[in-house]
Amino acid sequence: MSAAEAATWIASARSMVVLTGAGVSTESGIPDFRGPDGVWTRDPRAERLSNIGYYIADPSVRREAWQRRLDHPAWGAEPNAAHRALAALEVAGRLELLITQNIDGLHLAAGSSSERLVEIHGSIRESACLSCGDRRPMPETLDRVRAGDPDPACLACGGMLKSATVSFGQNLDPVLLARCDEASANCDFFLAIGTGLSVYPVARLPETALAAGARLVIVNAEPTPLDFEAHAVLRGRAGEILPALVEAVVGYRRGA
Ligand code: NAD
């Protein structure tokens, strides 16, 4: 299966849903979790920082999490060719919904519209209170960390703050998840890019699409558990495969 062949499926799709994971941002310099150079592959202890139980129970985990947020590669990252290709796909009217597990904000930075984008695991670009839900721009909260507060409290209620992201052990926003479920159940083409398809409930979305009769194409650097059920698997780098795929559909040029 070539990108050109997959493109003919996209071109004839009635409704297309795209799911992206951490692999779509590695070429922007943000490591994934489970790939060969992943954050957890290199340092299995880091997994604790993404678990809400440890975060709430252990002040040292919160302090380390705030230090890592200060240095998060998302702050200096730029969208890459894969993000831009997906934004172009939307402009061409070929995209029903873009669902991302990424928290880095790079799809918005590339020009994807918030109307057709669901950041299902939230965004690092805001902080949120675990008690009252108060949200602030993350740079404001990071300024407090830089000024010497290693675990800043909510300015509205004094509660515990974290990034406005969904940690392991936290529930997804049910309204957003319902929107993703509905789009997946009603699409006829589902494209999964740069995700190991191992984090549920998001990993069930391509299964929902398949069960409803949609075509599934997977673009990933490594095998995923759904490869054997997919109609096509394009193995390689998202930043190379996506521009070729989208160019074949809408005449998009890389870097445009
Ligand atoms: P994952 O780390 O489990 O898997 C990423 C997959 O992408 C791997 O299978 C890897 O082989 C593949 N990959 C890496 N670089 C690639 C490239 N250039 N082209 C194609 N494929 C590539 O990531 P996941 O499935 O998204 O789940 C991990 C969780 O971690 C998500 O919930 C997400 O919220 C979070 N996360 C987000 C970011 C981010 O915002 N950029 C980064 C790391 C983790």
Side-chain angles (χ1 to χ4, degrees):
M1 161 64 55
S2 68
E5 285 170 295
T8 62
W9 290 350
I10 295 178
S12 62
R14 172 184 48 79
S15 175
M16 173 172 172
V17 171
V18 176
L19 169 67
T20 65
V24 92
S25 291
T26 55
E27 291 164 74
S28 292
I30 304 176
D32 59 22
F33 280 166
R34 300 180 184 80
D37 289 322
V39 175
W40 295 353
T41 312
R42 287 165 169 262
D43 176 13
R45 222 181 53 88
E47 195 165 347
R48 284 158 45 94
L49 302 175
S50 301
N51 182 300
I52 193 67
Y54 289 120
Y55 192 89
I56 289 173
D58 188 343
S60 74
V61 167
R62 291 199 294 281
R63 287 195 292 269
E64 188 176 347
W66 283 111
Q67 285 305 313
R68 288 197 186 217
R69 283 176 198 132
L70 278 181
D71 299 331
H72 198 284
W75 304 125
E78 298 286 343
N80 65 51
H83 298 107
R84 290 196 296 272
L86 290 171
L89 200 61
E90 179 187 342
V91 169
R94 304 306 311 161
L95 186 71
E96 179 63 28
L97 189 64
L98 173 57
I99 304 162
T100 188
Q101 298 167 87
N102 296 342
I103 56 153
D104 54 34
L106 289 183
H107 284 302
L108 287 171
S112 287
S113 71
S114 52
E115 290 76 29
R116 288 200 187 265
L117 174 69
V118 173
E119 293 178 312
I120 191 71
H121 289 163
S123 171
I124 196 178
R125 300 195 181 250
E126 287 186 318
S127 61
C129 176
L130 292 175
S131 299
C132 74
D134 185 62
R135 285 182 177 232
R136 312 261 163 160
M138 181 59 93
E140 285 180 16
T141 310
L142 290 181
D143 280 346
R144 296 170 60 199
V145 180
R146 264 186 221 99
D149 187 345
D151 182 15
C154 175
L155 292 173
C157 77
M160 197 179 283
L161 290 182
K162 70 182 279 292
S163 56
T165 56
V166 181
S167 295
F168 288 95
Q170 281 186 295
N171 290 329
L172 301 188
D173 181 322
V175 174
L176 293 182
L177 186 58
R179 187 176 176 205
C180 297
D181 275 329
E182 190 184 346
S184 303
N186 289 316
C187 74
D188 61 351
F189 189 90
F190 193 106
L191 183 60
I193 309 162
T195 168
L197 294 174
S198 62
V199 180
Y200 280 79
V202 171
R204 78 161 186 248
L205 297 173
E207 295 169 357
T208 299
L210 273 175
R215 278 187 172 128
L216 171 65
V217 173
I218 293 173
V219 175
N220 206 55
E222 294 176 297
T224 81
L226 265 192
D227 284 3
F228 293 110
E229 293 184 59
H231 294 82
V233 176
L234 303 175
R235 180 86 59 234
R237 292 159 68 90
E240 290 165 8
I241 294 172
L242 258 289
L245 199 57
V246 173
E247 182 173 340
V249 179
V250 298
Y252 163 81
R253 297 279 175 272
R254 188 187 296 216

